[in-house]
Amino acid sequence: MKKWAVDLLYAMEEEINKVVKSVYQSDPSVTGVMVVDESGLCLENNNVPEEAAGLFASVAARSEMALLLGANQNTESSPVVQIEADSMVIIIKRVYGYTMGIVKDKTKASGT
């Protein structure tokens, strides 16, 4: 592998790690974070089952398709999908072609 490609991969990994770290620091109710590429490949995983990667990517893609069906034709922004269960909240959003899934402990969450 070329040195520039390796450097690019390390830079991308560092940037993803910064984002994940900031998510944990900004909200104490966060118990897991996953970053997924456009193909559903897990790029970063903290306390989320890896099998969720494809699901997160699919939910984000389908929610964008739903925008196209509705009156809102603004495809520049991706919707935020929130899934609630008894004890947890999962938030899924696509940003710049990457999907982020954030899992929160509902008992600790404030303002989800």
Side-chain angles (χ1 to χ4, degrees):
M1 186 178 277
K2 301 274 186 189
K3 184 182 179 336
W4 63 266
V6 172
D7 290 345
L8 181 63
L9 289 173
Y10 282 128
M12 185 175 92
E13 182 179 9
E14 285 180 21
E15 196 60 35
I16 289 171
N17 287 336
K18 284 181 194 175
V19 170
V20 169
K21 186 176 180 181
S22 73
V23 169
Y24 277 105
Q25 289 175 340
S26 67
D27 189 342
S29 69
V30 173
T31 60
V33 177
M34 179 177 277
V35 180
V36 181
D37 73 4
E38 292 174 340
S39 302
L41 179 67
C42 179
L43 301 176
E44 179 68 32
N45 180 16
N46 289 344
N47 204 28
V48 178
E50 280 200 39
E51 300 81 64
L55 176 65
F56 286 1
S58 178
V59 167
R62 302 272 184 201
S63 67
E64 288 175 346
M65 288 172 57
L67 281 183
L68 297 175
L69 298 174
N72 182 0
Q73 297 296 318
N74 180 6
T75 58
E76 293 178 15
S77 65
S78 176
V80 176
V81 178
Q82 182 168 311
I83 302 168
E84 292 192 43
D86 289 339
S87 62
M88 71 175 161
V89 176
I90 301 170
I91 301 167
I92 301 170
K93 178 160 177 68
R94 187 181 311 239
V95 180
Y96 301 117
Y98 297 97
T99 301
M100 178 170 271
I102 300 172
V103 181
K104 294 183 174 188
D105 181 338
K106 198 171 182 180
T107 62
K108 297 178 185 175
S110 60
T112 52

